[in-house]
Amino acid sequence: MGPDDLTEPEFNMVDGTYTPTTASTTAEVLQLFDGKVKTIRELLAARTDADLMSTWTFKQNGQELFGMPRARPGARGVMNHLIHHRAS
């Protein structure tokens, strides 16, 4: 789950526009992580159950690929990540 999942009604991935976040040191990675955790916690604390159940949509170049309750992208991402690393 990212901040946009909680603040925007959709995410529109436009081909060729993604710029990954980079970090050169462990300290930079931890600073980025801690900042994201703080932001997500603040955003979640400000949301109601109805807010979290409103529809969030994932699009690519304007075409809707799927929509789901706003709370699901984070749960889905965490589960997929854990499953991905299960075999490690």
Side-chain angles (χ1 to χ4, degrees):
M1 174 177 280
D4 291 345
D5 300 346
L6 294 171
T7 59
E8 302 298 327
E10 67 182 43
F11 177 75
N12 184 23
M13 184 171 62
V14 178
D15 290 344
T17 62
Y18 175 72
T19 304
T21 302
T22 58
S24 303
T25 66
T26 302
E28 287 177 352
V29 171
L30 291 174
Q31 183 179 14
L32 286 167
F33 179 80
D34 289 344
K36 293 287 185 183
V37 168
K38 182 178 186 266
T39 299
I40 295 293
R41 285 183 175 165
E42 290 169 354
L43 289 170
L44 282 171
R47 299 295 179 256
T48 64
D49 288 346
D51 222 7
L52 292 173
M53 294 309 294
S54 64
T55 301
W56 177 85
T57 307
F58 183 87
K59 296 180 178 182
Q60 183 172 15
N61 293 318
Q63 180 182 357
E64 183 175 333
L65 301 179
F66 61 87
M68 63 180 62
R70 188 176 296 278
R72 289 286 302 143
R76 183 177 177 174
V78 169
M79 287 304 297
N80 286 348
H81 190 79
L82 290 173
I83 291 166
H84 166 77
H85 286 286
R86 174 73 170 92
S88 298

